Amino acid sequence: MKTIFKYGILAACFAVTNIASARTLYDTETYDFDVDGVAYNILSEENKTVEVTHGTRINTSHSQFVDFQYKGDVVVPPTVKYKDVTYDVVAVGASAFRPVETEQYPQPPVTSITLPNTIKTIGKSAFYDCVYITSLVIPEGVTEIEKQTFYNCKALSTLQINGNVTKIGESAFAGCECITALPNLSHLTKISDNAFEGCSIESVNIPGTVREIGYEAFAGCKYLKEVTIPNSVEVLQGFSDCPKLGYVYVPDSVKRIGEFNNCPNLKINGLPASLDSIYSNAFRNSGITSVIIPASVRYIGKRALTCCENLSAIDVDPNNTKYSSLDGVLFNKRRDKLMVYPGGCRKRYDYTIPASVTLVDESAFESNVGLTELRIPDTVKRLGRRAFYSVQNLCTIICGAAVPIGCSDSDSEMFNYPRIPYLFVPKGSVKAYKNADRWRYYFDHISDNLPDYIGVEDIATDAVQNISVICRDGTIVVENAPANAVIRVYNMQGIQVAETVEPEIRNLPAGIYVVAVGEETTKVMLNGEF
């Protein structure tokens, strides 16, 4: 029997104009009665039931305050008597214990709350911001923890759920920094969005009844190390920003997967044959080392496999009708869109984008750690946002297009920062690139004079003289070179850093070098470090 009173003074009702300037509109929401420090609303006179509620909330044009406030240790009884009528206490209403604090009405702390077994429902945000309570027992009649029920209960460390809860609502326990373990949830069917975000949970054993894990359900659980996923889960997501999360077994039941981004220690067993979708950012900046895309996958979202410094290859089942791979690089099926060049690919230092490609997708090369030289053919017409951002060791780009390739209109992070040393373009195109906003800011030098040694493949040997170049103990060693042969060494900026007739070149910093011995030109990586 909640009552709403509205008081207003309208200037149009009065002839005196100065009254209008003194108007104040009040919206007052009040409770039905209170007994022994607990406020109630009558739910049913017929059934004689009430819910625990908040005090009077008074909304003015400038602020909101509550004239009845809970404090200390609150004990809710199973029944309450009012005007000689006994009511059963069956619910905790929405925002019942949520504090509303202002300078004029400071909120005294609620230190504990005890609920009776007669409680059947607990409303949204019921204990929102109760930052001092440390423990709570949920009565056995409660079957759902609603949205934001315990949001930001920072001190809550012990939670006992006696009933068969089937659903955890959105952000129900978000910000509960002291929760280190999940309560008994053996009947749970759904974990909603942000349900346990920011908790201190160390391990998660999802019950076998759960079919869906919501968006960012366990995001930011910085102590989470272990997750057990049952074969009932079809939507697996919600573990972004879990820096300690290690091996996760993905069961065959999973059809959609996402949100393992920013999990640098993550390892998975593989992707199941039932998988249909890989969400955007699914494994971005994670620790995965290789991926095989099953034939069943029909959707891969933006940045799903980018910025993975340990990811050496992405392979696609040949029977997949939407996607393909070539030499560990992910493409669409027609291979006119290069989607992801794996961030941890170290087996080659230079790469030529296939001539079939017309679009390099968003973040396709972002944060790659091994690439030093890239060739972009003139077939490429568009570069997606952050396509080459933070490619850490990229020294040289050779672009085949006479007219600068179109870039994302809003992108200010297309290439590296700091800038890439060299961009080589077709003859007569230097001016066009120097005048192109999305190109001129990213390169120290733009030239149409391509040196002969640029584009040399990986380590080569002379078939007749058996000349070979290797790196050993921080030294470049040339074996089987002719006596007094001049050996020249160039860095990836095209600068000669050594010239000698000695077979060993020392004191060079780690990196990629081109070694020229007569007609033989070889690319080597010194020390294998960057």
Side-chain angles (χ1 to χ4, degrees), residues 206 211-214 227 229 233-239 248-251 254-260 279:
I206 305 295
R211 296 185 62 184
E212 181 176 349
I213 299 173
V227 174
I229 309 296
V233 172
E234 296 181 357
V235 180
L236 176 56
Q237 59 181 352
F239 294 92
V248 174
Y249 180 85
V250 181
V254 173
K255 296 179 180 178
R256 289 170 282 170
I257 194 168
E259 294 187 336
F260 285 95
Y279 292 154

Side-chain angles (χ1 to χ4, degrees), residues 380 399-406 426 429 432-433 439:
V380 174
C399 192
V403 177
I405 301 170
S429 299
Y433 277 86
W439 290 86

